[in-house]
Amino acid sequence: MPGFVHRVLHLALGLCAAGAVALAAAQGGSAPASYNVGATPTGIPFTFLDVKSNSIQGMMVDTMQAVAKAGGFQAHVQQTSFAALIPSLTSSKIDIISAAMLKTAARQQVVDFSDAVYSYGEGLIVKADDAKAYVSLDDLKGEVVGAQVGTVFYDLLQKKGIFREVRSYDSVADMTRDLALGRIKAGLGDQPIIAYQIRQHSFQGVKLAESYKPSNVGDVCLVVRKGDTETLARLNKAIATIKADGTLAQIVKKWGI
């Protein structure tokens, strides 16, 4: 009888273990239940600090939360300056970047990008009374121009090599302030962000150059650490879901971009 009891207990334990393995597999195995997400406070309408709630809001925040819901995990969004996003990711202070960060070859050497959630090009911003029809950056040869530090737009201006000076700014707001005061001739930045801010009357004395043709159209994606294939696959699956069911389109429409 003791032997029989032992065999029954052994069988029961085995079934429990198998059940636990099956349950873990069904729930995604060892996949994390939550991720820390970095988003900037100055990229409206993609990401921005809402002073009323003291929280980061915006199109990419809504997208991240929709991805988290579809992927079955929690996303804890925290404020991170744009220049600190990739360093924070590579040092594991955050696990995912959800901001207006364009996918570039240079960045791909350091981090991995998800499938695209939005695409756009750069916008040229000039003084409101500037009547010149700018078509390309060549029209600004010899001038003082500016862009936000850490962006592809700053790199683009530097590599162009035709300007008297390229100034860097901590935010687009700082850049437009200098532009309105005549300290720079033009600035380069995220076209949807600049257009949104101008519509909201947040940027005074400046406008987008309507005739300008962007030369750097790129994809906005979620970003993970290099080689984090598990998180990347999880994000891409969820992105496909919110594209297919119309959730992503609704988010884009909500923010008017």
Side-chain angles (χ1 to χ4, degrees):
M1 183 64 72
F4 173 75
V5 173
H6 178 77
R7 287 195 299 273
V8 171
L9 287 173
H10 182 75
L11 177 61
L13 289 171
L15 289 172
C16 287
V21 170
L23 180 61
Q27 294 178 339
S30 59
S34 65
Y35 295 93
N36 291 322
V37 180
T40 65
T42 57
I44 192 169
F46 290 99
T47 58
F48 64 97
L49 179 63
D50 178 33
V51 294
K52 293 181 180 179
S53 64
N54 195 34
S55 63
I56 303 296
Q57 303 289 330
M59 178 265 184
M60 286 302 290
V61 175
D62 286 356
T63 298
M64 185 69 247
Q65 296 297 353
V67 165
K69 182 178 180 180
F73 60 86
Q74 295 291 318
H76 302 296
V77 179
Q78 58 192 58
Q79 180 176 325
T80 311
S81 68
F82 193 90
L85 283 172
I86 289 180
S88 295
L89 182 65
T90 56
S91 64
S92 297
K93 292 180 180 178
I94 57 175
D95 306 303
I96 300 170
I97 294 172
S98 185
M101 179 174 284
L102 293 175
K103 179 180 179 180
T104 67
R107 287 170 178 160
Q108 282 183 287
Q109 295 179 9
V110 184
V111 296
D112 284 338
F113 289 82
S114 73
D115 294 338
V117 298
Y118 190 76
S119 299
Y120 67 87
E122 80 275 11
L124 183 70
I125 187 170
V126 296
K127 288 189 70 174
D129 59 359
D130 190 338
K132 184 172 181 178
Y134 297 95
V135 177
S136 72
L137 292 176
D138 293 331
D139 296 328
L140 289 158
K141 183 177 180 180
E143 299 287 356
V144 179
V145 296
Q148 185 179 10
V149 66
T151 65
V152 295
F153 311 119
Y154 181 77
D155 295 337
L156 180 63
L157 293 175
Q158 288 279 39
K159 289 177 182 178
K160 191 69 175 174
I162 62 172
F163 308 108
R164 178 154 58 92
E165 182 184 353
V166 178
R167 296 183 183 177
S168 62
Y169 295 91
D170 290 333
S171 70
V172 178
D174 291 338
M175 178 183 73
T176 57
R177 193 175 301 113
D178 261 14
L179 176 58
L181 291 171
R183 293 170 180 165
I184 60 175
K185 183 66 174 178
L188 213 59
D190 302 275
Q191 194 277 342
I193 293 177
I194 295 170
Y196 184 91
Q197 293 276 28
I198 290 175
R199 288 198 304 269
Q200 298 297 315
H201 306 292
S202 299
F203 294 160
Q204 300 291 326
V206 299
K207 67 179 182 180
L208 277 168
E210 294 183 7
S211 54
Y212 179 77
K213 306 298 182 184
S215 61
N216 189 60
V217 177
D219 295 329
V220 178
C221 312
L222 300 177
V223 190
V224 301
R225 276 183 290 278
K226 196 71 177 175
D228 188 356
T229 55
E230 181 183 21
T231 301
L232 191 62
R234 199 175 185 186
L235 293 178
N236 283 338
K237 183 178 180 180
I239 289 170
T241 297
I242 67 171
K243 284 182 177 179
D245 67 13
T247 300
L248 182 57
Q250 291 174 4
I251 292 171
V252 171
K253 183 178 179 180
K254 169 187 172 182
W255 290 100
I257 57 176

